Amino acid sequence: MIAMQYSFTLPADYDMSIIDRRIAEKGPLLDNLPGLKFKAYLTARKGSRSTENLYAPFYVWDNESGMMDFICGDGFANLTQSFGWPAVRTWFVWEAQIARNVREAVAATRQLRETPAYAPLADLRRRESADVFEDVEQNGALASISAFEPTTWTRVRFQLWGERNSARPGETFDVGHVSFPEGAQSD
């Protein structure tokens, strides 16, 4: 699996209800996109837990062909024509736990972490995979993903939640929609 995220920083006075309407209209169109494990449509508003207005969707793909079909497709081309050409970050998924009720998510958190040079990667992967399982099974997350990117040696921990809680670590986002294919199996 591959995790992917891009972000658009919008002007401070941007009417974010435009993004909310776009998510409501276009979000369900990807509900059964081939190769998509899930997509969380994320926003952040300046002044409420964020210093900027953002649209920053987060994806988990079953494999690279689904991701490439999307990036090379008309929907992404139209998005870039409206909002600009984003940097698309990708990570190889170490572990993904997704609850069946993931569509009920209203909030998300993302933590980016640097991997120290010469870190014992196998041990790190085992610990983070165990933490992801615990996030869903014991801590109430509706999804938890741990992923790794070896070019810049960064890791991401991404979680979806059924309620907002400003005490959670990391960047926080509002969730406007979760595309999760019907019949998809949770991990």
Side-chain angles (χ1 to χ4, degrees):
M1 287 184 283
I2 299 171
M4 177 182 102
Q5 187 175 36
Y6 50 85
S7 181
F8 296 103
T9 301
L10 303 166
D13 61 350
Y14 191 83
D15 181 359
M16 290 298 285
S17 69
I18 294 169
I19 301 298
D20 295 337
R21 280 192 305 277
R22 186 179 183 106
I23 291 170
E25 292 168 9
K26 299 192 182 293
L29 299 176
L30 269 64
D31 284 354
N32 290 299
L33 185 67
L36 182 66
K37 190 82 165 167
F38 78 83
K39 175 182 179 180
Y41 293 78
L42 308 177
T43 59
R45 285 166 166 70
K46 181 177 171 59
S48 67
R49 303 181 317 265
S50 180
T51 58
E52 302 174 300
N53 286 329
L54 298 172
Y55 173 58
F58 191 94
Y59 302 73
V60 174
W61 298 95
D62 286 322
N63 55 54
E64 73 282 351
S65 65
M67 182 179 76
M68 286 293 104
D69 289 346
F70 173 76
I71 290 175
C72 296
D74 291 338
F76 189 73
N78 292 337
L79 180 71
T80 62
Q81 291 302 311
S82 295
F83 295 102
W85 191 255
V88 179
R89 297 185 76 167
T90 59
W91 301 268
F92 297 106
V93 174
W94 276 350
E95 184 66 42
Q97 291 292 320
I98 305 165
R100 292 196 185 282
N101 61 336
V102 68
R103 288 188 180 121
E104 297 172 12
V106 298
T109 54
R110 184 190 77 175
Q111 298 173 60
L112 295 174
R113 301 171 178 156
E114 290 185 25
T115 303
Y118 307 103
L121 295 176
D123 292 342
L124 189 59
R125 181 180 183 187
R126 274 191 293 279
R127 279 195 310 272
E128 291 204 10
S129 295
D131 289 348
V132 162
F133 183 78
E134 185 177 303
D135 287 343
V136 173
E137 293 297 316
Q138 296 175 14
N139 298 333
L142 299 177
S144 184
I145 288 48
S146 175
F148 171 71
E149 189 277 309
T151 302
T152 60
W153 297 98
T154 58
R155 293 169 287 136
V156 65
R157 172 72 64 81
F158 178 80
Q159 299 156 316
L160 292 172
W161 304 96
E163 78 286 332
R164 289 173 180 81
N165 180 341
S166 60
R168 290 189 183 109
E171 294 177 81
T172 60
F173 301 91
D174 293 319
V175 177
H177 181 78
V178 176
S179 289
F180 184 62
E182 289 194 31
Q185 295 297 311
S186 61
D187 291 332

